[in-house]
Amino acid sequence: ASRGQGGGVKFGVAAFGGVAEDGSGFNTWIEKGNPFIEGRDSLDASTSSFDGAIRPGQKVPRAEDHVGEAEDEEENAEVCAAYIDEDEDSDENDNNDAEFKKKEPDVRIAGKGFSVLGGSDRDGKGLSARNPTLTASSLYLLQSVAEYLRLMRVLTPSMSVIFQGFCSLFERTMVHIFGVFGQHAALEQDSERMTPRLRSTLVQAMNGSTLASFMPAVGEGVGAEASSVLSSGNLYGLKERAVALESLSCIADELMGLKPGLKQALPHKEEQKLERFFGQTISSVQDLREHVYRQVTGLLLNLSWVAETIGDSDKLSDKLKVGKYAKKEISTDHSKWVDDLSAELTQFGAKLACAEVTTEALVMLWDFAIAETASTIVDGFSRVRKCSSEGRAGMILDVQMLHGNIRRLAPQGTKEDFRIVDTYVKAFYTPQEEMMHFCQTHLEFSQTQKVALINQMAGAFGWASSVKSEMIAGIGANDSDAFV
């Protein structure tokens, strides 16, 4: 964004070479209203509607603008020449800004973003019904989408080129958000911290460039501010992450509404590009949300101590020493680690409350926290070197107590999925002849966790050493086959 001499904001949009460099083309959108409603109506009608004519209900040009009845013809001629030149002085820009605010009384600044009740439609559709929170850059993206739709109506022969620019604009926005909030190492082909669909979308959007080219330079100004936003004192940018991702998700949902009209308007040869954009790029927005939310959950929730605290010490070699779960009597009290972990989850919930994230984002963050907690508990149980039947009952009690605490802490709608923990704990009671089948079918557990489970069962039920060794060897072979 840049500012003119009078202080009015102008937006530079590169639809293609030389188009709307001064950004004044957005004044038309401000006067006409919601770009998505207009875009859908225009695209759904027929390709003949892309004629650049003023549609019914659009604002008639003002006399003080010194524009005659031939304004549309002049504008179309300029657009066909691949540029838009509608220079207006700063006073007129200010008037337009004031008029836009008057027409849009529901637009307000909320924190570092805008809460926009989109367009002038009051029929409860589109953005008006959703009342989303949008960042300033997302608002600019909406304006750019409106400009692309206008160009597609006027430049029918160049519709394919304009659509490509339309797609590239959204893809580059995704890359920028990933560059700021995502894990860059996840772009590596062998990384499991990102879905293949998201990786393919980002790599193609980058087009051989590096992430650094999409990022502001670190130093004074924007770069330094971005670094402070992601600091631990700012909860690792939790609020900023949530607003950016929910804004992108909202725009993606709105763009999905344009698919039928675009499919009808675009040439048949562009159908594959259209399907790829909506089937892969738009769909991968959800993958990006999950990737970023999972990362920030790991930063906000400290579980590094849990597995070691649950498990037995590596120094437990003396037969006289008793492990934490090698008990001879069933305990009626839960372990201390349950209270400590519950306190950690309580702090996690307090951090989310401070960030004031949306309900949908809150549920996703808790889902990831619970899933990571469950996985860590299984890892801790696999570090238990000795376990009796009474001790296993104590494990079940600990899991039930913690799960009950999580139900009280997590918001409504959270999955609260502890099945992986229940399955691992109760597998202790699996008959010996069925244990190999259990290990073959439950791929969610690592080889180390399966071996630990067999060692615990062999010690508790007095398995022969040969049986235990044969079963452990079989687990290793099965796991090796699974990765071939």
Side-chain angles (χ1 to χ4, degrees):
S2 60
R3 294 186 176 272
Q5 296 178 355
V9 178
K10 295 186 176 183
F11 311 105
V13 178
F16 49 84
V19 174
E21 291 296 332
D22 64 349
S24 59
F26 295 126
N27 295 330
T28 304
W29 174 77
I30 292 175
E31 296 176 355
K32 294 179 181 179
N34 192 326
F36 292 103
I37 299 300
E38 177 184 355
R40 291 173 184 170
D41 293 344
S42 301
L43 290 170
D44 288 337
S46 65
T47 55
S48 61
S49 65
F50 290 79
D51 55 4
I54 297 179
R55 298 173 59 251
Q58 293 180 357
K59 187 174 180 179
V60 179
R62 297 170 294 176
E64 58 266 31
D65 290 340
H66 304 290
V67 179
E69 296 181 352
E71 180 185 68
D72 287 338
E73 297 177 1
E74 295 176 0
E75 181 181 358
N76 291 344
E78 291 172 339
V79 172
C80 291
Y83 71 95
I84 301 174
D85 188 6
E86 301 174 359
D87 290 338
E88 299 176 359
D89 57 24
S90 58
D91 293 336
E92 187 172 351
N93 286 335
D94 293 339
N95 291 336
N96 284 336
D97 290 343
E99 181 179 356
F100 177 67
K101 293 177 181 178
K102 181 178 180 181
K103 293 176 64 177
E104 298 294 342
D106 295 317
V107 175
R108 65 184 184 274
I109 296 178
K112 295 186 178 181
F114 297 97
S115 183
V116 181
L117 301 182
S120 58
D121 61 312
R122 299 300 174 192
D123 55 0
K125 297 180 180 179
L127 295 176
S128 295
R130 293 190 58 172
N131 188 20
T133 298
L134 299 179
T135 61
S137 58
S138 297
L139 182 60
Y140 302 155
L141 180 58
L142 290 176
Q143 294 171 327
S144 303
V145 168
E147 196 70 10
Y148 276 108
L149 293 177
R150 187 170 73 90
L151 290 172
M152 292 176 73
R153 289 200 308 271
V154 176
L155 297 178
T156 305
S158 301
M159 191 177 297
S160 300
V161 178
I162 300 172
F163 176 69
Q164 183 61 41
F166 176 96
C167 297
S168 298
L169 180 65
F170 186 82
E171 290 170 349
R172 289 180 65 88
T173 302
M174 285 187 61
V175 173
H176 182 73
I177 292 178
F178 171 78
V180 175
F181 300 120
Q183 293 178 288
H184 297 182
L187 283 175
E188 299 295 333
Q189 199 66 32
D190 58 346
S191 175
E192 298 181 356
R193 291 177 291 180
M194 176 184 293
T195 62
R197 179 173 62 182
L198 177 59
R199 182 182 294 110
S200 175
T201 300
L202 295 175
V203 170
Q204 182 163 343
M206 290 165 62
N207 195 24
S209 301
T210 62
L211 275 176
S213 61
F214 292 86
M215 302 291 294
V218 178
E220 296 183 359
V222 178
E225 182 180 354
S227 299
S228 63
V229 164
L230 300 178
S231 65
S232 59
N234 193 46
L235 299 179
Y236 301 99
L238 174 59
K239 185 173 185 178
E240 290 75 12
R241 292 172 192 260
V243 172
L245 291 168
E246 298 312 307
S247 296
L248 186 68
S249 178
C250 175
I251 294 175
D253 291 343
E254 290 295 325
L255 293 183
M256 282 298 296
L258 298 176
K259 182 179 178 180
L262 287 170
K263 187 174 183 179
Q264 180 181 0
L266 287 170
H268 181 70
K269 63 180 181 180
E270 301 297 326
E271 184 173 353
Q272 184 176 359
K273 293 182 180 178
L274 179 74
E275 293 299 331
R276 181 196 174 279
F277 177 71
F278 286 100
Q280 177 172 328
T281 304
I282 296 296
S283 300
S284 62
V285 170
Q286 179 65 17
D287 298 343
L288 180 60
R289 292 174 72 200
E290 294 177 357
H291 170 78
V292 174
Y293 284 148
R294 183 180 288 109
Q295 179 199 14
V296 74
T297 297
L299 295 172
L300 294 172
L301 181 61
N302 179 22
L303 299 176
S304 60
W305 56 272
V306 175
E308 183 177 354
T309 302
I310 294 176
D312 293 326
S313 171
D314 292 337
K315 298 180 180 180
L316 187 64
S317 57
D318 190 343
K319 294 183 179 180
L320 296 178
K321 294 182 179 180
V322 179
K324 298 175 182 177
Y325 290 98
K327 301 177 181 179
K328 295 182 179 181
E329 296 181 358
I330 298 177
S331 175
T332 57
D333 297 326
H334 59 270
S335 302
K336 183 179 181 301
W337 67 263
V338 175
D339 295 328
D340 295 338
L341 184 52
S342 297
E344 188 71 39
L345 291 168
T346 301
Q347 293 182 10
F348 174 76
K351 294 174 183 177
L352 299 187
C354 291
E356 300 178 348
V357 299
T358 63
T359 302
E360 185 177 0
L362 184 66
V363 170
M364 290 183 67
L365 288 163
W366 267 105
D367 283 340
F368 288 129
I370 294 172
E372 188 62 28
T373 299
S375 178
T376 304
I377 292 174
V378 171
D379 190 23
F381 286 157
S382 70
R383 298 189 186 190
V384 173
R385 297 166 65 87
K386 296 181 179 181
C387 184
S388 62
S389 296
E390 294 80 4
R392 211 65 175 187
M395 283 187 181
I396 295 176
L397 175 63
D398 291 341
V399 172
Q400 290 176 345
M401 289 295 299
L402 180 64
H403 200 183
N405 293 339
I406 289 177
R407 287 194 185 99
R408 291 188 289 270
L409 292 171
Q412 185 177 4
T414 306
K415 296 178 182 178
E416 302 175 6
D417 192 355
F418 250 49
R419 286 176 296 179
I420 188 174
V421 183
D422 293 335
T423 301
Y424 189 80
V425 173
K426 294 177 181 179
F428 181 83
Y429 303 103
T430 304
Q432 176 182 327
E433 60 273 12
E434 298 178 10
M435 193 58 198
M436 182 57 69
H437 180 263
F438 174 89
C439 295
Q440 292 172 345
T441 55
H442 288 270
L443 301 179
E444 67 270 25
F445 301 119
S446 67
Q447 180 178 348
T448 302
Q449 292 169 347
K450 294 174 184 176
V451 169
L453 179 60
I454 290 176
N455 284 328
Q456 293 167 5
M457 296 172 67
F461 302 117
W463 289 3
S465 299
S466 58
V467 173
K468 183 180 74 170
S469 300
E470 182 181 352
M471 193 170 295
I472 291 176
I475 292 175
N478 290 328
D479 283 354
S480 299
D481 293 340
F483 289 102
V484 172

